[in-house]
Amino acid sequence: DFVLKNKDTVDTTRIYIGGFSLGGMTTFKMAALYPEMFAAIFPVCPYITVSNSEASNFADTPVWLVSGKYDVLVNYSRTQKNWKTVINTTNIAGQCRFSTLSIVCYPDGTLAPSAHYSWEAVTSDMFSSNNGEYPHMSTVTGTGENVSLTYPNGMISWLTQFTSNYSIDDIDI
């Protein structure tokens, strides 16, 4: 609806979707239903176990999955299973990323109340308040390479490197 209403100002080749917890679940579901629409996706602590058939629907879409290792609401083993499913079905493993936060802090370094607050890293573009690396985080690609994030090259710059072939003309009214 938003894209249709703003078709003159929306770059439909740069539509990204992300969400936190239940929104992470919705991110996976939307990507599986409308894979052609999204240039990249970033589910954070997704409250779902994504199936192989769902993941294969977005096999050409870059994914950056983020999770707190000690998240009591979304078990880390579920997130690891989601990562394996993504990597086993994707056609672009080297463009996918998985960030694990062993401790979740606000950007100023204050401990968050729960490891489920992994969105704090995402909303600060994976950096601390002094533009240093986000503490207590490791990131790997789908091919197993470690990623060292150096300001200003966080999630936003990762997202914006991807485009799709999606067009407003593809929207079925």
Side-chain angles (χ1 to χ4, degrees):
D1 189 53
F2 177 87
V3 173
L4 281 173
K5 287 180 182 175
N6 297 280
K7 64 183 178 184
D8 295 331
T9 57
V10 171
D11 180 352
T12 58
T13 68
R14 292 184 180 275
I15 298 175
Y16 311 101
I17 188 170
F20 314 123
S21 194
L22 287 173
M25 175 185 75
T26 302
T27 298
F28 274 139
K29 293 290 187 184
M30 290 291 291
L33 289 171
Y34 307 102
E36 70 285 346
M37 181 180 279
F38 303 107
I41 69 170
F42 58 101
V44 180
C45 301
Y47 196 80
I48 187 176
T49 302
V50 68
S51 71
N52 286 329
S53 62
E54 288 171 320
S56 66
N57 286 346
F58 54 85
D60 295 316
T61 305
V63 176
W64 190 332
L65 180 59
V66 179
S67 182
K69 190 170 186 175
Y70 303 105
D71 187 337
V72 296
L73 297 175
V74 176
N75 189 289
Y76 186 67
S77 64
R78 174 186 286 172
T79 307
Q80 288 177 308
K81 183 177 180 184
N82 284 335
W83 178 241
K84 288 177 186 173
T85 300
V86 167
I87 295 313
N88 289 336
T89 57
T90 188
N91 297 321
I92 51 171
Q95 294 178 342
C96 296
R97 291 183 173 183
F98 179 34
S99 289
T100 300
L101 290 101
S102 58
I103 298 173
V104 179
C105 299
Y106 294 107
D108 68 0
T110 306
L111 188 64
S114 164
H116 192 60
Y117 280 56
S118 295
W119 58 78
E120 288 296 335
V122 175
T123 57
S124 62
D125 199 25
M126 311 308 259
F127 298 104
S128 62
S129 60
N130 65 358
N131 293 331
E133 288 187 71
Y134 196 88
H136 319 291
M137 181 177 70
S138 63
T139 301
V140 295
T141 68
T143 56
E145 296 174 59
N146 290 320
V147 176
S148 179
L149 302 174
T150 307
Y151 180 82
N153 296 314
M155 185 175 283
I156 300 301
S157 58
W158 175 85
L159 284 169
T160 60
Q161 71 180 311
F162 301 110
T163 58
S164 70
N165 294 322
Y166 193 66
S167 166
I168 195 73
D169 298 329
D170 295 333
I171 296 176
D172 198 13
I173 299 175

